[in-house]
Amino acid sequence: TVFNSLNHDMTLTEFKFIWYMEYSHRMWGRVVGLAYILPAAYFWRKGWLSRPMKGCVLALCGLVCFQGLLGWYMVKSGLEEKPDSYDIPRVSQYRLAAHLGSALVLYSASLWTGLSLLLPRHKLPETRQLLRLRQFAHGTTALIFLTALSGAFVAGLDAGLVYNSFPKMGERWIPDDLLAFSPVLRNIFENPTTVQFDHRILGIASFTAVTALYIFSRKIPLPRRTRMAVTSLLAVACMQ
């Protein structure tokens, strides 16, 4: 059914290419799972983990398993028959966003845990400026996370194919079909035009927030490592 609905002229070589991409992704995910679970079991058995670290390791291993489960749940949605629908077969954009969001949380938690063990924490005086910088950084992190999730909705709906001009969408700043679906809330998650529009706005907002965070950080005396992190964040935002 999928073959008749999409890419019915695909050759066997072309099919093998996308099949191996999917297969490699699954195998890589399983390797990642083993890279978490096997060393964790070994360190646990050796008694090298403190009580707080045991909780952290269990949480990370649980996230790995949950990530794999979400991946299966996501792929399953692309194989389900949709009655009375002639749409192109694709996975659910909701499940795709959940899978991506879970991966980001897992990666961030792993990186945070690793750096906490490798690098000593700086003890800085809790000034008002430092507190504001920390709050600003947390807010920027949340905004970037939301922008990435909106990108999953763009991918899940093929919303990137709707408009390919920037900064305008076609000939307009705000497209006519922005709120074409009813109820209005449905547009945010299911209208390709609205999904692309939101992703653009969130992307611009994220870049602006990162730039403002960098400028604000320059006014505060910070350790070299922290200053390098903020500068690297701005460089990656520009490249993105």
Side-chain angles (χ1 to χ4, degrees), residues 8 18 44 83 123 136 152 194-195:
H8 51 82
I18 63 171
W44 193 300
K123 294 183 179 180
F136 197 172
T194 311
V195 166

Side-chain angles (χ1 to χ4, degrees), residues 36 39-41 43-44 49 52-63 113:
Y36 269 86
F43 296 149
W44 193 300
L49 301 177
M53 186 51 60
K54 285 182 178 180
C56 187
V57 165
L58 282 176
L60 287 173
C61 289
L63 269 175
T113 303

